[in-house]
Amino acid sequence: GAASTGGTGSGGAASTNGGAGEIVITPVLTSGTEGAGTGCANPAGTAGTVMYNHDNHVMQYCNSGVWVAMGPLGNAGAGTCSGPSANEGAMFYNSTLNTMEYCNGTSWVAIGPL
């Protein structure tokens, strides 16, 4: 289902976490009209744009019409995850489960099927 706006503007970054092939990726977060383009509104974004929605604690992408949640809507958490340690909104590839995951402020959430 679609998720509403959220996020605060900040730059993205990637860093290794020292684990077996674990890389923590922090996506560029948008708000308002940053990343304006055709496709999605509130915030505006083009097809394929990925952002973390801080209001609903979920990673989402623009599918050319609406923002689509990549997992279940979360609850307000502590703002961090462990194993690997990262802030809410960070992404990483779990080489044990072979899946992308994001931190929802409490725990890591797998994107797609396991």
Side-chain angles (χ1 to χ4, degrees):
S4 64
T5 68
T8 58
S10 71
S15 62
T16 58
N17 194 43
E22 292 177 351
I23 298 177
V24 175
I25 302 167
T26 305
V28 174
L29 305 175
T30 61
S31 63
T33 58
E34 294 174 19
T38 60
C40 293
N42 198 18
T46 56
T49 300
V50 174
M51 69 171 279
Y52 184 77
N53 181 321
H54 281 278
D55 293 338
N56 292 308
H57 308 280
V58 66
M59 193 66 67
Q60 60 189 26
Y61 67 93
C62 174
N63 75 350
S64 292
V66 296
W67 290 101
V68 178
M70 293 187 204
L73 301 184
N75 297 317
T80 59
C81 291
S82 61
S85 178
N87 291 329
E88 183 174 4
M91 293 179 71
F92 93 109
Y93 180 75
N94 183 322
S95 59
T96 302
L97 299 175
N98 296 318
T99 186
M100 287 297 297
E101 298 181 5
Y102 67 90
C103 172
N104 70 0
T106 303
S107 59
W108 290 101
V109 177
I111 299 171
L114 291 177

